[in-house]
Amino acid sequence: MKEFSESHDDPFAPHLAALAVLDDRGAVVGWNRRAEELLGHPAAAVIGRPASEVLVDPCDLPAVREATASCRRAGGWFGALNVRHRDGQLVEMGLRAQPLARDDRIREWLLAGAPTADVLEWQRDRAVLDGLYRRCPIGLVVHGPDLRLLRVNRAIERFTGVPAAEFRGLNTGCFLLPDDARMAVDRVRQVMVTGKPMVYSEQFVRLEWDPARERVAMVSSFPMEDPSGRILGVAEMIEDITERHQAQRRLALLDQAGSRIGTTLDVAETARELAEVMVPHLADHASVDLLQPVTRGEEPAQALAGPVVRVGAYGVGAQQTGPPHPHGEPVEFAPGTPWARCLAEGRPVLEPVLPPDWFSPDGRQGTRTPDLGAHSLIVVPVAARGLVLGVMTLWRSRRPDPFEADDLTLAQELASRAAVSIDNARRFTQQQQTAFTLQSSLLPRAVPDQSAVEVALRYLPASAAPGLGGDWFDVIPLSGARVALVVGDVVGRGIHAAATMGRLRTAVHTLASLDLEPDEVLSRLDDLVNLLAAEQEAAGERPTGEQVVGATCLYAVYDPVTGRCSGARAGHPPPVVTAPDGQAAPLDLPAGPPLGLGGLPFEARDVELAEGSLLCLYTNGLIGEQHIDTDLGLAKLRAALTRPADALERTCQAVVDSLVPARPTDDVALLIARTRMLPPDDVASWSLPPEPASAARARALTSAKLSEWGLEHLAFTTELIASELVTNVYRYASGPATLRLIRERCLVCEVGDSSHTAPHLRRARTTDEGGRGLFLVAQMAERWGTRYTREGKTVWTEQSLTGTLA
């Protein structure tokens, strides 16, 4: 009220009001000239006398006493009473009383009075002004000639969220974003300069602290003039017409959704597109939860209950999207929650205003708001062909206005349109997953245990290519603690390519078990590919994809005892080797022809690798993408492999991040191996002459070494194995025998010679004096076999370190 009491028209202003001072007993102790003019009593006639005696008619004494008691209780009073004029007439006056404290013992009261007609007129003017600035729903802003704000009403305060008093003295357009503030200043300046009003101009308004929320205002501006025509400022009437524009935006949102939702045949991507369309035009946060079978490409059951998976979520700013359960984790909604009701009934749920205690910390039950500021909720079913596929949830937390019926109708329409795209994507996913299940069943599921290398693998299928690819990789443990590393790529796409890949992979495993040299393995594979192509041609098969006529392959064998790697390639990109010092370069392996050409030889090459080196094998999809040159891709691959000491999984991911786009156009198989060396103390080797005493010598050497290794419990069986194998060399081969023991995950016993004659396991008759040696070896060992080299052959056995047979 203070801002109005200082007005020049205030009848209680000191220069306009009749003023009297009464002591605590009601006697007049002060009287001003205006009181004398209005009531006719000179000061000398009233000072010192009781006011009730001079100024109050006896009939009005009860009303005066009641007003006095109320004034003492409240410490002040305002109202209307009859006051007696000097000539005896009664004058109705508006009175205001307030205490005056002179010291602790004496109190006085100041009475200010004015004719009731003047008070009522002033109150009406004051009510109009008060209504305009405090209660009018249309905003009022008064600008001074210097474009500073003089005054705003409460509607502007509600519109901006800033107290009206804080606007005074600020520049025009304060609290608005720069572009919006510039438009407001230009409009006021134009009215100020021209003196012509501007009526019904629309402006988009965004506040500095809430730039994401856009409002629309209808502004009418007019100049304020004094009687001489001089412009004193500009007044603006501002009306919020945001709702009108929201209706128009809803129609635009429907049109926008048609072009943004369903751009791919991917269930999760379509769900994300739906969530992103909703924010920020309709909601602050949006999430899409689909029934678990839908995410797998399956058709949901008629029963609507079941686990759901969050596949799409989007929110404004940095706020959390507030999932009712972890993203991607299947969860069942608790009964009675809006989501459970929506799924069970297939009908939308609108909660315009959420109660303050609605928040529950049990997020897994689906009763958790995005944050403590969330105040409004919509849940609508995502349904197509009469089946509910899931639910879409919309929240409002930043926007103060709650959801309404029009918002619910719009959300239903958008969810219904998106559901058709999601269902189409689901069907496509079902077909793709059937195909990829075949492919994944043909790929290795885990890296086998072995001591030669540490391995990291990646297989990335093409995202948009038609059909399946034929890329594969393998890690195959070999005898003597060695390991074979394989990467291959079947030409063509589709089921035929995947099936051919599986047949080639099986063939590689079979050939690896024979311990063939890398070039020999590729020669055998080449024969197999030619046979497969001939079978297809003879059967007259015409697959929808490209005809499978060939393949590429890289086959390498690493020996952790010697540190040597032997490899050969058939039309495949060369592997990249990174030395422990970080120098990365392609391994110089002869470039053999692709598999399937037939009749051309393959060549293997041996290289020595230091312990801790990285050996990177890959298919051409890694460096041969359409968007990069092959040489550039190889250079980027080398750059990503220059930190051999890093964790292998991190290095593998760095290669993928550097070379593989978000949506690769070709399958990518990647295998990175870090080489290890067996400690010299775990390997023992001896050369034994071709004489009968060598068998005893082998037993003695074996027994001593096993005692040194703490494997005395294996001494008997190992001595027997070594003795029999060395005896066979003396009897059936020529040249010295080489005995080698290796301690790693198992105990390996090897005996080599220069002969290429294969040992045979046979059943000896009861009358035979020999022929049981190899049979005993096979019984004592878990595994045994023979591998051939250019210098001869090696017979090997493996025993469990625990001494028990598997």
Side-chain angles (χ1 to χ4, degrees), residues 781-799:
E782 284 189 344
R783 297 174 61 231
W784 76 280
T786 305
R787 67 173 180 268
Y788 296 89
T789 65
R790 293 178 177 84
E791 294 78 20
K793 70 174 182 299
T794 298
V795 181
W796 54 269
T797 64
E798 292 180 357
Q799 301 175 78

Side-chain angles (χ1 to χ4, degrees), residues 18 31 33-42 45-46 49 51-58 60 81-93 115:
W31 192 260
R33 180 173 299 179
R34 180 61 176 164
E36 183 176 345
E37 292 175 356
L38 288 176
L39 299 175
H41 299 283
V46 295
R49 298 177 61 186
S52 59
E53 178 183 317
V54 180
L55 303 175
V56 180
D57 187 90
D60 295 322
L81 288 174
N82 291 326
V83 181
R84 188 166 58 185
H85 194 272
R86 182 180 181 182
D87 59 9
Q89 295 182 356
L90 296 180
V91 179
E92 186 179 19
M93 296 188 67

Side-chain angles (χ1 to χ4, degrees), residues 239-464:
E239 182 182 2
D240 187 356
I241 59 170
T242 305
E243 291 186 1
R244 185 188 312 167
H245 275 260
Q246 285 178 343
Q248 297 174 351
R249 284 188 173 182
R250 291 186 180 107
L251 295 176
L253 183 58
L254 285 172
D255 180 68
Q256 183 183 16
S259 60
R260 290 185 56 185
I261 299 176
T263 59
T264 66
L265 287 172
D266 182 88
V267 172
E269 181 64 24
T270 305
R272 284 191 293 270
E273 290 170 347
L274 174 60
E276 291 175 3
V277 164
M278 295 295 178
V279 178
H281 305 294
L282 187 60
D284 294 324
H285 310 276
S287 62
V288 179
D289 302 301
L290 299 180
L291 291 169
Q292 193 173 16
V294 176
T295 62
R296 299 193 298 260
E298 303 170 6
E299 185 165 310
Q302 293 293 335
L304 300 180
V308 297
V309 177
R310 171 140 303 164
V311 292
Y314 195 72
V316 294
Q319 294 188 20
Q320 297 294 322
T321 54
H325 50 78
H327 194 103
E329 179 180 337
V331 171
E332 291 196 33
F333 292 126
T337 61
W339 301 274
R341 299 203 313 267
C342 182
L343 277 177
E345 302 172 6
R347 292 187 294 180
V349 176
L350 170 62
E351 297 284 352
V353 179
L354 297 175
D357 58 348
W358 192 83
F359 179 86
S360 168
D362 188 7
R364 295 183 63 83
Q365 294 301 315
T367 56
R368 185 174 185 175
T369 58
D371 52 68
L372 293 178
H375 60 83
S376 193
L377 169 72
I378 282 179
V379 184
V380 296
V382 179
R385 298 187 300 111
L387 293 175
V388 175
L389 308 177
V391 294
M392 178 179 69
T393 307
L394 304 179
W395 304 92
R396 279 188 181 173
S397 57
R398 285 191 173 189
R399 298 174 60 170
D401 48 320
F403 286 117
E404 53 189 27
D406 289 343
D407 298 321
L408 179 63
T409 302
L410 178 60
Q412 284 183 273
E413 177 64 24
L414 293 174
S416 177
R417 295 187 181 187
V420 176
S421 298
I422 291 175
D423 191 53
N424 290 337
R426 178 196 63 78
R427 296 185 180 189
F428 176 77
T429 300
Q430 186 177 33
Q431 296 178 357
Q432 285 293 97
Q433 286 187 347
T434 301
F436 281 115
T437 298
L438 169 63
Q439 187 179 41
S440 62
S441 66
L442 301 175
L443 290 172
R445 303 195 174 206
V447 177
D449 291 338
Q450 42 79 37
S451 305
V453 291
E454 177 190 358
V455 178
L457 304 169
R458 291 289 189 280
Y459 180 80
L460 305 171
S463 60

Side-chain angles (χ1 to χ4, degrees), residues 724 728 731-732 760-765 768-776:
E724 291 296 333
N728 283 344
R731 288 182 176 178
Y732 306 111
H760 294 286
L761 181 66
R762 67 184 180 88
R763 182 178 297 276
R765 295 188 296 270
D768 290 344
E769 296 182 0
R772 298 178 178 84
L774 200 56
F775 176 78
L776 293 175

Side-chain angles (χ1 to χ4, degrees), residues 334-691:
T337 61
W339 301 274
R341 299 203 313 267
C342 182
L343 277 177
E345 302 172 6
R347 292 187 294 180
V349 176
L350 170 62
E351 297 284 352
V353 179
L354 297 175
D357 58 348
W358 192 83
F359 179 86
S360 168
D362 188 7
R364 295 183 63 83
Q365 294 301 315
T367 56
R368 185 174 185 175
T369 58
D371 52 68
L372 293 178
H375 60 83
S376 193
L377 169 72
I378 282 179
V379 184
V380 296
V382 179
R385 298 187 300 111
L387 293 175
V388 175
L389 308 177
V391 294
M392 178 179 69
T393 307
L394 304 179
W395 304 92
R396 279 188 181 173
S397 57
R398 285 191 173 189
R399 298 174 60 170
D401 48 320
F403 286 117
E404 53 189 27
D406 289 343
D407 298 321
L408 179 63
T409 302
L410 178 60
Q412 284 183 273
E413 177 64 24
L414 293 174
S416 177
R417 295 187 181 187
V420 176
S421 298
I422 291 175
D423 191 53
N424 290 337
R426 178 196 63 78
R427 296 185 180 189
F428 176 77
T429 300
Q430 186 177 33
Q431 296 178 357
Q432 285 293 97
Q433 286 187 347
T434 301
F436 281 115
T437 298
L438 169 63
Q439 187 179 41
S440 62
S441 66
L442 301 175
L443 290 172
R445 303 195 174 206
V447 177
D449 291 338
Q450 42 79 37
S451 305
V453 291
E454 177 190 358
V455 178
L457 304 169
R458 291 289 189 280
Y459 180 80
L460 305 171
S463 60
L468 302 172
D471 295 22
W472 92 92
F473 48 70
D474 244 320
V475 178
I476 307 173
L478 301 178
S479 63
R482 299 170 305 136
V483 66
L485 305 175
V486 190
V487 170
D489 185 2
V490 175
V491 177
R493 305 197 65 81
I495 296 293
H496 285 270
T500 302
M501 176 268 288
R503 298 172 77 174
L504 292 181
R505 178 171 177 257
T506 301
V508 170
H509 271 262
T510 302
L511 297 172
S513 67
L514 298 177
D515 269 325
L516 299 178
E517 295 291 329
D519 53 344
E520 183 67 18
V521 171
L522 294 184
S523 296
R524 303 287 181 89
L525 283 180
D526 184 56
D527 295 339
L528 176 61
V529 170
N530 287 324
L531 177 61
L532 295 178
E535 287 179 353
Q536 286 190 356
E537 184 176 356
E541 295 181 0
R542 293 291 183 269
T544 55
E546 185 179 353
Q547 180 77 15
V548 178
V549 295
T552 65
C553 184
L554 173 62
Y555 186 90
V557 176
Y558 174 71
D559 188 344
V561 176
T562 64
R564 298 187 65 82
C565 179
S566 177
R569 59 191 180 108
H572 206 83
V576 174
V577 174
T578 304
D581 61 1
Q583 295 295 321
L587 186 61
D588 185 18
L589 292 181
L595 301 175
L597 296 184
L600 298 176
F602 299 94
E603 183 180 353
R605 182 166 296 172
D606 293 351
V607 294
E608 290 190 6
L609 300 180
E611 185 174 11
S613 299
L614 296 185
L615 184 61
C616 178
L617 286 68
Y618 53 91
T619 55
N620 59 2
L622 184 68
I623 62 172
E625 282 281 347
Q626 297 177 359
H627 69 286
I628 59 175
D629 180 76
T630 301
D631 293 336
L632 176 60
L634 189 58
K636 294 176 68 175
L637 175 59
R638 293 169 57 186
L641 293 170
T642 55
R643 299 174 62 90
D646 285 357
L648 204 57
E649 284 295 330
R650 184 187 308 169
T651 301
C652 194
Q653 189 59 43
V655 171
V656 172
D657 294 341
S658 177
L659 284 95
V660 181
R663 302 180 64 83
T665 58
D666 193 9
D667 293 357
V668 175
L670 174 63
L671 185 157
I672 302 179
R674 178 182 285 121
T675 62
R676 298 168 174 159
M677 293 285 289
L678 290 183
D681 293 343
D682 288 342
V683 181
S685 180
W686 304 275
S687 179
L688 302 175
E691 58 185 30

